[in-house]
Amino acid sequence: MVIAVDFDGTIVEHKYPAIGEERPYATEILKMLIADRHKLILWTVREGKLLDEAIKWCADRGVTFYAVNSDSSEMFKEAKDKNFSCKLNAEVFIDDCNVGGLPDWPTIYKIISKKRTYKQIIRAQFQEEMEEHEPPSPSWMFWKTKKR
């Protein structure tokens, strides 16, 4: 799968033009996605020296990208050569500006690896939590109440 990943606010906290602190588990999950044979595209507004710094920051942490701010499809190259605007060709976009915000990185990995929607992941977590907690017994059921 081709996955476009934003940098500022997504891999690192927003401190543009500086590089913010890494968001928890971001690089570990990105390395797992690469190990799972996904193609990652760094998709960012950074250009020039700022872009080079972001690429180096990721590489220093073991994250290398299939492409940066583009994809390698022939259709994209052809459109770019003709000075046409072209959408990035990716199946998934990970960006802090998502509607509803950015899930935590472990949840992002579950969504991609298990091919589930965010709603399905949250519903499953909620059901697990509900099963762990037994509802309280009414006070008149003295034999079921816990002694303190």
Side-chain angles (χ1 to χ4, degrees):
M1 177 183 304
V2 178
I3 303 169
V5 185
D6 181 35
F7 186 70
D8 295 290
T10 303
I11 297 174
V12 297
E13 297 191 5
H14 254 297
K15 298 290 181 188
Y16 184 87
I19 295 177
E21 292 292 317
E22 178 180 351
R23 292 185 61 106
Y25 307 106
T27 56
E28 290 95 321
I29 298 298
L30 291 171
K31 288 188 279 188
M32 290 168 65
L33 292 170
I34 292 168
D36 291 348
R37 306 187 82 173
H38 295 290
K39 294 179 180 178
L40 302 185
I41 298 173
L42 180 61
W43 182 47
T44 179
V45 298
R46 289 177 176 259
E47 295 177 331
K49 182 181 176 216
L50 296 176
L51 177 59
D52 293 339
E53 290 171 356
I55 293 169
K56 182 179 181 327
W57 186 94
C58 291
D60 289 348
R61 287 153 182 81
V63 177
T64 55
F65 295 93
Y66 166 73
V68 176
N69 286 338
S70 70
D71 60 38
S72 64
S73 73
E74 291 305 313
M75 184 177 83
F76 185 87
K77 286 181 183 177
E78 191 175 306
K80 193 172 181 182
D81 290 342
K82 293 179 183 176
N83 293 322
F84 284 71
S85 177
C86 188
K87 277 188 167 183
L88 192 61
N89 184 19
E91 295 154 287
V92 172
F93 291 80
I94 302 174
D95 191 328
D96 61 308
C97 292
N98 292 331
V99 172
L102 182 70
D104 61 74
W105 279 96
T107 300
I108 291 170
Y109 185 74
K110 287 179 190 175
I111 290 167
I112 293 170
S113 65
K114 297 181 184 293
K115 297 181 177 145
R116 301 277 193 269
T117 65
Y118 187 47
K119 183 178 179 179
Q120 290 170 326
I121 297 292
I122 295 300
R123 181 174 285 149
Q125 287 174 349
F126 178 74
Q127 287 174 339
E128 286 175 19
E129 288 177 15
M130 292 305 292
E131 290 170 2
E132 289 176 9
H133 301 291
E134 186 178 322
S137 300
S139 59
W140 59 268
M141 298 176 104
F142 61 87
W143 63 91
K144 285 192 170 185
T145 58
K146 294 180 182 173
K147 295 185 180 181
R148 295 178 192 203

